[in-house]
Amino acid sequence: MSILEKIFTAIRGGAREVGEAIVDKNSVRIFEQEIRDAEDKLNQAKRDLTEVMAKEMQAARKIESLKAEVERHEGFAAQALEKGDESLAMEIAEKIVELQSELDEQERARKSFAAHVERLKGMIKKTGKTLTDMKRQLVMVKTTESVQQATTAINNNYASSGSRLLSAKESLDRIRQRQQDLDDRLAAGEQLKGELEGENLQARLEAAGIVSNSNKQAQDVLARLKAKKAG
Amino acid sequence: MVDLGNLAEQLTERGSNAADSGFFFEVNTIPGDVDVLQVVVEDRDELPIFVSASESQLLCIAYLFREDEVKEDAVADMHRAMLASNVPMPLSSFATIDGQYVVFGALSVNSGIEDIVHELETLASNAVDAIEAMQSFLK
């Protein structure tokens, strides 16, 4: 069963006590140990790989030099035969056989090192993948744990502060109401600003004599009434 | 692992000094087994955002409503609506935690303060929008 399935089952089961961990601490510890073991294994494999690759290169260098040596001795043997020195040629031939067998041995060693390198590379790749996967799963477990602890802390905080959790609709109404209030205040501000500007305009128009001052109008009316009475 | 105390300081500084963005918020620390930051966004006091950290991620969670606030015959429709909005909803996803519906966002612990503030701002708006969108499913 994957970790995610385990978590899912535990949550859906819902039979947990308050504060009881979804994934028990001991299995988390075991899992963390497995991850550390896999990491050690991976590091060991990487060290081994470096070592085996070095040996493979050494073998390759030795093979090159042995091949050159065989070639050189074949040249010597040909020269000895040309000079008709059969016994010297024979001695050289024996040396060639010796070199050849050493060469075969080095070839076998190189092949075996190369195979070992391939095996280690495969193992490193596989262990690396497994490790990434294990770490991802551990993150799920830890996150579940952390969310649970956080939820407990939040709930305790609400309980201790005595504040009631509002229903979503109440919360939304309050937020919307506050936004409406703000909008209203802004609108009222705009209106007031407009009115003030309007007053200013009225004053300027009066000063310019374009519209008559309301005080002046009253004086005019009074003057007219006085004139009428006198008449 | 993110140092939540340090993050709280940075967020407090940023939340009280948001002249250019207009995104003001307060930060309180809730002590517990793991520390949790409570971020209260200006004018959205009823929908605080809770920030907690695990080894690999920062989780920002806004609680929407309890399961018992949902009309019994509307649960399946609401779940479909949530699944359908999960991808279009920027940075946040719907989820349930302990019988409560939430929207949440997860960030890498390597996120910068601006990323975190952006996440909080988006989540705060998403939370209000989400309740509004799911209103018809609520009692």
Side-chain angles (χ1 to χ4, degrees), chain B residues 53-112:
Chain B
S54 68
E55 276 163 59
S56 59
Q57 45 182 4
L58 266 179
L59 281 176
C60 306
I61 301 173
Y63 289 80
L64 301 177
F65 39 80
R66 299 180 304 273
E67 280 172 1
D68 62 18
E69 289 180 57
V70 184
K71 290 176 190 159
E72 278 80 10
D73 56 354
V75 175
D77 284 343
M78 189 187 71
H79 286 173
R80 268 192 290 276
M82 285 176 166
L83 287 177
S85 13
N86 252 351
V87 175
M89 183 164 57
L91 299 181
S92 317
S93 306
F94 284 104
T96 60
I97 300 172
D98 271 6
Q100 297 229 52
Y101 285 91
V102 306
V103 278
F104 79 101
L107 289 99
S108 153
V109 284
N110 301 316
S111 304

Side-chain angles (χ1 to χ4, degrees), chain A residues 5-226:
Chain A
E5 265 179 288
K6 274 187 199 164
I7 293 171
F8 185 59
T9 311
I11 293 173
R12 199 173 43 173
R16 285 177 298 123
E17 297 289 314
V18 175
E20 187 194 338
I22 289 172
V23 183
D24 79 293
K25 286 249 186 289
N26 202 38
S27 57
V28 172
R29 262 199 302 278
I30 292 170
F31 197 57
E32 282 174 323
Q33 186 56 49
E34 282 173 9
I35 287 176
R36 276 193 296 276
D37 290 347
E39 270 169 345
D40 289 347
K41 196 174 142 196
L42 185 64
N43 289 333
Q44 184 57 49
K46 281 179 180 168
R47 278 195 298 274
D48 288 353
L49 180 64
T50 323
E51 209 173 293
V52 177
M53 279 172 88
K55 280 183 184 162
E56 189 192 2
M57 283 190 286
Q58 278 169 13
R61 265 200 305 277
K62 219 159 198 176
I63 285 165
E64 284 315 304
S65 88
L66 281 167
K67 275 183 178 164
E69 205 58 357
V70 168
E71 214 169 297
R72 207 157 62 93
H73 281 83
E74 278 171 355
F76 293 157
Q79 282 174 44
L81 285 176
E82 261 171 43
K83 289 186 176 156
D85 193 339
E86 190 83 19
S87 70
L88 183 61
M90 191 58 199
E91 241 176 87
I92 296 168
E94 276 163 12
K95 176 71 180 166
I96 289 174
V97 170
E98 207 177 288
L99 286 169
Q100 192 65 55
S101 100
E102 205 181 323
L103 183 62
D104 289 347
E105 200 179 308
Q106 287 300 332
E107 293 271 19
R108 269 198 304 278
R110 189 178 67 168
K111 253 188 204 154
S112 135
F113 288 141
H116 197 175
V117 164
E118 280 314 302
R119 264 204 315 281
L120 282 171
K121 278 184 176 169
M123 195 180 104
I124 287 167
K125 207 170 156 188
K126 190 160 160 275
T127 312
K129 269 187 188 163
T130 311
L131 203 53
T132 309
D133 199 47
M134 285 168 98
K135 283 180 175 169
R136 187 181 53 85
Q137 294 189 42
L138 186 64
V139 165
M140 285 196 265
V141 174
K142 292 258 173 169
T143 305
T144 308
E145 205 175 28
S146 147
V147 168
Q148 196 188 21
Q149 286 168 336
T151 310
T152 307
I154 292 161
N155 288 341
N156 288 346
N157 186 60
Y158 272 119
S160 66
S161 68
S163 61
R164 194 175 64 92
L165 273 170
L166 293 170
S167 80
K169 281 196 163 175
E170 288 168 321
S171 300
L172 188 64
D173 285 348
R174 285 193 183 204
I175 289 167
R176 286 293 181 236
Q177 185 59 53
R178 219 176 302 109
Q179 281 174 351
Q180 189 61 52
D181 288 351
L182 183 66
D183 287 349
D184 289 349
R185 274 206 303 280
L186 285 175
E190 281 297 308
Q191 202 183 336
L192 188 63
K193 191 169 159 243
E195 279 167 11
L196 285 173
E197 276 168 3
E199 270 174 27
N200 281 341
L201 184 62
Q202 179 72 19
R204 287 207 307 277
L205 287 171
E206 282 171 12
I210 295 172
V211 296
S212 55
N213 181 304
S214 58
N215 191 29
K216 171 117 182 343
Q217 282 176 345
Q219 281 173 358
D220 288 350
V221 170
L222 202 60
R224 203 170 65 235
L225 288 175
K226 277 181 182 165

